[in-house]
Amino acid sequence: GTFVGIADPDYVDVEKDNHVFSFELKTGDYDKIVADYNNQSKKVGTDIKASDVTVSGIKGRRYVGTFDTKNKIKSDIVILPYREKLIVVKTDDPAKYGASFNTVLNGIKLVP
């Protein structure tokens, strides 16, 4: 199944698509999802940047840029393979909460 956690200052509106912090553990093909994000980052005119990241000893990929071009919402997304699933950790306001997001990433402890 899927496990989802979201956090926002003051009030969490579960109807919204964008949140200050979200965590999702889900089934999926890590390589396919990373390939899709890599393709997005290579499109002409995009501001999405891809890089390698290690969280709790697990190597994954990090993508930072404007994924919602209609609403001009920038996001910072980290994708990690985890056992037979994958983990997606995200903030939809990296300009304001980037430091806190990095603190959360550095504090995550996963058991391999």
Side-chain angles (χ1 to χ4, degrees):
T2 299
F3 174 81
V4 177
I6 55 176
D8 290 306
D10 301 323
Y11 173 72
V12 175
D13 183 353
V14 295
E15 300 298 320
K16 284 182 20 180
D17 291 330
N18 301 306
H19 301 281
V20 169
F21 177 80
S22 65
F23 173 94
E24 189 173 6
L25 174 67
K26 63 183 183 176
T27 57
D29 184 342
Y30 172 80
D31 293 327
K32 182 184 180 318
I33 290 174
V34 166
D36 289 346
Y37 276 100
N38 284 339
N39 288 338
Q40 284 185 49
S41 70
K42 293 175 184 173
K43 286 183 182 175
V44 175
T46 186
D47 68 344
I48 298 171
K49 304 293 182 224
S51 62
D52 292 327
V53 66
T54 301
V55 176
S56 188
I58 300 171
K59 293 181 181 183
R61 294 288 286 168
R62 186 174 199 158
Y63 302 91
V64 180
T66 307
F67 293 90
D68 182 348
T69 53
K70 180 181 176 188
N71 296 313
K72 306 268 192 270
I73 296 174
K74 285 194 168 215
S75 297
D76 189 341
I77 302 171
V78 173
I79 303 170
L80 305 167
Y82 187 64
R83 300 180 184 174
E84 73 284 354
K85 299 184 185 277
L86 59 101
I87 295 173
V88 179
V89 187
K90 178 174 133 177
T91 181
D92 289 318
D93 194 351
K96 188 172 182 181
Y97 295 102
S100 297
F101 184 68
N102 287 328
T103 299
V104 168
L105 290 175
N106 290 331
I108 292 176
K109 302 292 183 228
L110 300 169
V111 177

